[in-house]
Amino acid sequence: MEKKLLHFTLNGDPKTVAVKPGRTLVQVLREDLGMTGTKRCCNSGACSSCSVLVDGQVVNACSVLACQVENKEVSTVEGVAEGGTLHPLQESFLDEGGLQCGFCTPGMIMAAQELLSRNLEPTAEDVRHQIAGNLCRCTGYVKIVNSILTAAKRMREAQS
Amino acid sequence: MMDFDVTSVKTLDEALKALSEYGDDAKVIAGGQSLLNILKQGLMAPEILVDIKGVAELDGLQIGASIRIGANTSHRTLEDASALDETWPVLREMEHDLASVQIRNWGTMGGNLCIADPTGDPAPVLMAYDAEAEIAGPEGKRRLPLEAFFVDYYETVLEPEELLTAVEAPAPPPRSGVAHEKFRNVEGDAPIVVAGVRLTLTEDHRRVEDVRIALGGVAPVPIRALEAEKVLRGQEPSDEALAEAAATAPGETAPIPDITASEAYKKKLVRVLVHRAAGRALERAKGT
Amino acid sequence: MKPYSVLGKPIRRVDGVEKVTGAAKYTVDVQLPGMLEGRIFRSPHPHAKILNVDVTKARALPGVKAVITAADTLKKPYGNWRRYEHLLDEYPLAWDKVRFIGDEIAAVAAVDEDVAEEALTLIDVEYELLPAVFDPVEAMKDGAPAIHEGATVDHNVSETRHIEYGDVDEAFSRCDRVREDEFTLHPVAHAAMEPHASVATTGFSGRVTIWTSTQVPYYIQILLAGALGLEEGKVRVIRPHVGGAWGGKIEMFKDQYCAARLSQMAGRPVRLEYTREEEFATTRRRTPMKYYLKTGYMKDGRLVAKEARTILDGGAYNGMGPTALYLTGFFQAFPYSIPNYRYNGYHVYTNKSPSSSMRGFGGPQAEFTCDSQLDMIAEDLGMDPAELRLKNSMTPGYEIPGYCKVASCGIQECIERSMESTGWREKRGKMPHGKGIGMGCYGFMSGGVFNWINTPYAFSGAMIRMGVDGFVDVYVGSSEIGQGSDTVMAQIAAEELGVPMDMVRVTSGDTSICPPDLGAWGSRQTLMTGNAVKMAAQDLREQLFEVARGMMMPNIVYAFEAKDGRIFLKERPKRGVDLFEVVKVAVRGQEGQQLIGRGFYTPHGKGMVSPAFSFGAQVSQVEIDLETGKVHMDQVTTAHDCGQVINELGVEGQLEGAFVMGQGYTLAENLVTEEGQVLNPSFVDYKLMRAPDVPVKFESLLVETFEPEGPFGAKEAGEGLTNPNAGCIANAIYDAVGVRIKDMPITPEKILKALEEKKAKEKA
């Protein structure tokens, strides 16, 4: 199959990549663009480790045909920190111990980022519901939920 | 494995033209949340995908006296649509718990129905709402009740040059309540059995005027438990009547045993879920 | 109150920033120029002779750069059992037979995934199918197909284990009561988020460098060198960040061998990453067991005698199964004082993927059976199950002559505190039908005394160097696999040296830089590597104190202390000097040599199993949906004795993660095999717990004792915590609805069926 040019924005930067039609977004990110922060773990949309944002919505990059992000905005974990400053989510994950091996962490952060962009006052149940698609084998999810709730609190406080 | 071409179309006409041109060599992709896995495993090997995700006229909800759900409408759009709360609240409830947020954002209602997985959440709820499928093809559009849309495991009535364009459902009759119940052992998992029930009461609330009992995961396609419905129709809406209807439903099913559950257990779940959904539907009907 | 500067505090992980920004590189992220994609060709048959392997067409496919079969290997058996060679039954690639669906026959390296996949389809293998056997009890019978001819004790039994102390038969004869039960434990998968993966490159000098996802870089170094016929020094193993392991990565796997061998043949780097399906179906699984348990006791609740027998379903190769076989027998007697005990275990081959080590290493199986039976005994006696446990618990200083000595032991406090915190006495046996509370207890090893790998080196080594720039570099061979070992080592070094945490850098996971270490298994690293680090730090401290004495010239009676960046007189803390000033003086004083501290640790004379044991009690509360049998986990409280807590966040994280893994083990996970075929090799069909499944209320009670053998008194907190979950949940279910399920997993279907049978019995 011949490659076609794909144009999209990645963490605010315009990108043009030549890709075969059957490539998924996770392949383009990791292999063509070297952005290995997004993990490929099950390649079947069941674990959400590959979560990224497309036009602000969290999706599984392994289950998105790359050509379908033409002219869209893609955000990955590498774009979450601003300049040299960690995002409140990242600080909270560190303070609350919301990560161990870290493999699911990028996906969790992207899913959390989508939640907090819509609702800065989530309940613990809201958070568990938002990350229900994200598998973690290490933490038992407890400190991940704590991390996201703490981030929400800090972001609310920063706003006021 | 993923060695196919993709043609991304912008209008319904372009989509139909592409399907006519490619016929059996083509498969339609919208969000691909089910289709991509099938392609990755090599279970299907089309030459080309007709990507309809960008077809704006297939996207969106029109809410009025009836509801029209464009085939490209994402599950997330439905989950977020508070405008549904007044007349079709269970659509939102069902979407809230469907798969994962990632799948809900990119996957579409049309894609879900066209994959025809009998354990899908939407079909029994849409059937409880008396939904119809609208199909477009080279000869124009046609409509049929949603239960007739499904033919077998992972098979619908769609011909290769046809496209599901929308699902429409009327407002439920007055004094109606709808409920959705499902069972799975872990959260985020596909349901083992899923039920969508609608109860409509007579004006004096003393009898069941009409009922819909739709089940998924118990047969090759989502079914209506017609005998169970007969048991309830015209009866007093007592708990005994609901229990009797619930006890009738398993006999109309033919669940396949698999590693998640035996046939016997799935049938037990049918009874429990129908009973619970009917009970909640009744409470809601009473509340109207 | 211990005046520690960094220990026992909730400290940020030292590798955290990399991980939350996506900068952390795992093996699957390693990209080298010219890298090829590797794939493995696997047997579709559970048991067959290999008559011929033809790879000519695969080799000829454009884009394929190397193909290997057994003919390209040394055909030498390999494995961790270097000291017990009769247990080595695995070859780098199958040459005579295949013994499970997925057994590795050949491997290819090609320019990309697609070409590699296509090359696999071009490999032709001629098989002579053999009858297969899938059940271990069947495999032990006369006439069962022999899976490894000549390599067994008897009829597919590859190894047995025996433990005995006291006088078991005599003891049983004087017991008031005896009860016997049979249990079945099922296979589950490690399901680490990062699959097995390797990137290997062979330089023109013949040196092999391999990045790999492993718990044991040192083992991979020596095993890979052996399998390739190279000196150990010619293999360098780099362990990047690891996305989880849980005992599934403590052996050499085929991706490691094949990536290395292919890179030798192709002259280019080769990457081999297992697909999720391969991960589930062809790596390792937790050891399934048939468990027979007999316990003799007195009317007053004293446990007097115990006899256990297990038949372990080993799968096609030994793996670390024989160790699980031993440990399940050993921990069956924990954490209670049972003076008379006998255990016999049988490791049996079957034609399925091998079962091996997995978090708890036989302990979860032992405690499920032990805790279940104890509750049945308690009911028989009309005694509260927690009181029964308290009555029989081990105490500090408990000894099993010839087997182990338990120094620190906080089990009684753990039981009491968990009872108090959960309101046990008000709830047990008193909650409404459908709600219940249950307990599980455990004791677990802090590292094993076993040297089956036959290393000549200390079990752990550490080197620390201090620079005039104020930085402390710690070099250890321990493996950070998410559990937080790098952070613990940094804390121990920082505490002992008296420097702030942010001045400490830990380098682990590169065999050409770091000391050999047995790696992350058996919950050994905090105690063993930690001791090595403490010793190295002490070495450095002494060097610094010597110089400080010269600088300060105090009265000879004073002792020195190091804390918070200062070196000072213990009894006169105000008199001191800046620590890094001392470093500068010391470096000058020894002609500019860097200050280096060395440490090492190997347990000596510590019995048959471990130098120290953690203990704990877990209480969970459940609510059962009486119509569907579904178990809702309401809350769980765990009281864990790990001696001195080094990192509070770390211990809690282990506790919570372990429980959820145990919850999955008990209620939903199951690697289902039919005729040797794994039916659910995906996250869709293999049911892991998700965020909405876990208990809303999680309580961690950290019970501090002091373990003399551990660094600062610390013991393990990683595996012991998986031991009590199944029993704890099973006992809570029994309290809730009065049904006891003895064959795992405890599914809603089984509970519902048991409830119906119970109802029918009561009616009759």
Side-chain angles (χ1 to χ4, degrees), chain B residues 164-209:
Chain B
L164 176 72
T165 47
V167 176
E168 285 194 14
R175 301 173 305 279
S176 295
V178 179
H180 162 248
E181 287 278 341
K182 65 177 166 185
F183 182 84
R184 54 216 176 145
N185 197 14
V186 301
E187 295 302 305
D189 199 10
I192 296 175
V193 176
V194 53
V197 174
R198 186 177 87 195
L199 270 182
T200 306
L201 296 172
T202 53
E203 210 172 316
D204 59 5
H205 281 211
R206 298 264 286 270
R207 297 207 169 261
V208 174
E209 188 167 272

Side-chain angles (χ1 to χ4, degrees), chain C residues 382-675:
Chain C
M383 213 175 150
D384 179 285
E387 297 296 339
L388 177 66
R389 287 169 170 76
L390 274 174
K391 192 183 177 76
N392 290 284
S393 286
M394 287 178 176
T395 47
Y398 183 79
E399 196 171 338
I400 304 177
Y403 283 92
C404 69
K405 176 132 186 228
V406 171
S408 64
C409 172
I411 179 66
Q412 295 204 336
E413 192 186 338
C414 287
I415 296 175
E416 276 155 3
R417 282 188 62 187
S418 61
M419 285 170 75
E420 194 193 308
S421 181
T422 56
W424 173 273
R425 289 187 176 88
E426 294 76 55
K427 290 181 181 163
R428 181 68 193 12
K430 299 174 182 143
M431 293 168 89
H433 183 62
K435 288 191 172 187
I437 189 169
M439 178 181 285
C441 295
Y442 59 97
F444 197 72
M445 60 203 275
S446 298
V449 305
F450 327 116
N451 188 11
W452 18 256
I453 194 71
N454 209 23
T455 179
Y457 294 111
F459 280 14
S460 288
M463 190 182 77
I464 307 183
R465 61 173 186 161
M466 294 184 80
V468 296
D469 59 354
F471 270 85
V472 176
D473 277 299
V474 177
Y475 299 90
V476 282
S478 49
S479 279
E480 170 62 69
I481 51 171
Q483 85 285 58
S485 60
D486 277 1
T487 307
V488 163
M489 300 313 152
Q491 284 182 272
I492 290 174
E495 190 67 53
E496 187 67 24
L497 277 171
V499 302
M501 267 293 281
D502 58 11
M503 313 213 75
V504 180
R505 286 185 295 233
V506 175
T507 302
S508 65
D510 185 335
T511 57
S512 53
I513 300 172
C514 307
D517 190 290
L518 296 192
W521 61 272
S523 254
R524 57 177 297 284
Q525 293 186 156
T526 294
L527 190 140
M528 297 200 186
T529 314
N531 272 339
V533 170
K534 189 160 191 280
M535 183 177 161
Q538 270 165 354
D539 177 4
L540 265 177
R541 248 166 73 119
E542 286 311 312
Q543 294 177 46
L544 292 174
F545 287 172
E546 194 182 315
V547 173
R549 250 177 243 120
M551 284 164 75
M552 291 171 63
M553 308 272 273
N555 187 310
I556 199 73
V557 302
Y558 290 121
F560 274 80
E561 185 60 87
K563 202 170 161 67
D564 299 330
R566 288 180 72 239
I567 289 180
F568 52 93
L569 304 182
K570 214 169 183 172
E571 292 90 350
R572 297 277 183 275
K574 289 208 181 118
R575 289 178 56 192
V577 283
D578 181 87
L579 193 147
F580 284 97
E581 278 308 307
V582 180
V583 173
K584 285 178 186 153
V585 173
V587 168
R588 286 291 171 127
Q590 49 183 37
E591 295 184 79
Q593 286 180 80
Q594 274 217 312
L595 289 176
I596 294 181
R598 294 161 57 160
F600 61 95
Y601 175 85
T602 304
H604 297 294
K606 297 293 171 187
M608 301 279 286
V609 178
S610 181
F613 299 89
S614 68
F615 290 91
Q618 189 164 75
V619 173
S620 68
Q621 294 181 45
V622 301
E623 186 169 350
I624 317 285
D625 181 328
L626 299 172
E627 289 187 296
T628 65
K630 179 138 198 258
V631 177
H632 179 72
M633 292 297 317
D634 280 344
Q635 49 183 298
V636 63
T637 294
T638 310
H640 182 68
D641 157 30
C642 60
Q644 165 68 46
V645 170
I646 305 238
N647 189 317
E648 198 177 290
L649 275 182
V651 176
E652 284 176 6
Q654 285 302 302
L655 196 151
E656 291 152 7
F659 180 77
V660 173
M661 193 175 262
Q663 185 184 344
Y665 179 49
T666 311
L667 299 176
E669 292 179 43
N670 193 4
L671 204 56
V672 180
T673 318
E674 197 178 86
E675 299 292 304

